[in-house]
Amino acid sequence: QVQLVESGGGSVQVGDSLRLSCEASGGTFSRHVMGWFRQAPGKERVFVAAIGWNSKTAYYSDSVRGRFTVSKTNANNTVYLQMNSLKPEDTAVYFCAADRRPHGTPQAMGVVPKHWGQGTQVTVQA
């Protein structure tokens, strides 16, 4: 059974940084796109970032491009999200996701079937 477990969330001040981690188990994800989504209170879950199965390409939402960096370590089935220059509007529950199919593209992460983590809260205080 596939499990994705996020860690690294917390409460920070505007301008601070956080690094989220997500470790996948129950399968091998070296050939799968992995990424991050977030859901703010009262809003839908939206795409944040994704990285290609071979880590050669990454794709970001406009709201985080230039501030967030997604990376992936195939050796331990882990995907990271480095978040810098955090803003209050970044406050949300952040969910890790893995494409269920191998050899997908980061740009398609919003529409493909995915495995999901349980989420980790990030709060940015003004």
Side-chain angles (χ1 to χ4, degrees):
Q1 182 179 356
V2 173
Q3 280 192 316
L4 303 178
V5 180
E6 300 98 335
S7 61
S11 181
V12 296
Q13 302 294 315
V14 169
D16 283 351
S17 298
L18 271 179
R19 189 191 195 207
L20 306 183
S21 300
C22 170
E23 184 171 357
S25 61
T28 301
F29 292 90
S30 59
R31 291 183 173 83
H32 295 250
V33 173
M34 297 184 74
W36 294 90
F37 291 71
R38 68 186 182 187
Q39 187 168 16
K43 296 188 177 181
E44 294 185 351
R45 191 176 301 187
V46 297
F47 171 80
V48 174
I51 187 163
W53 62 273
N54 58 4
S55 298
K56 290 185 178 180
T57 58
Y59 185 63
Y60 298 91
S61 68
D62 290 343
S63 61
V64 307
R65 187 176 295 113
R67 299 187 298 123
F68 291 11
T69 302
V70 60
S71 59
K72 183 172 178 271
T73 301
N74 287 335
N76 56 5
N77 273 352
T78 302
V79 63
Y80 304 93
L81 186 68
Q82 177 66 43
M83 305 185 294
N84 298 329
S85 302
L86 283 161
K87 305 175 181 179
E89 51 263 44
D90 295 318
T91 294
V93 177
Y94 283 71
F95 295 90
C96 172
D99 191 340
R100 288 179 178 263
R101 311 162 308 159
H103 299 132
T105 62
Q107 292 85 345
M109 195 59 170
V111 297
V112 299
K114 294 175 282 288
H115 297 289
W116 291 100
Q118 83 288 349
T120 185
Q121 177 71 45
V122 172
T123 302
V124 184
Q125 297 179 338

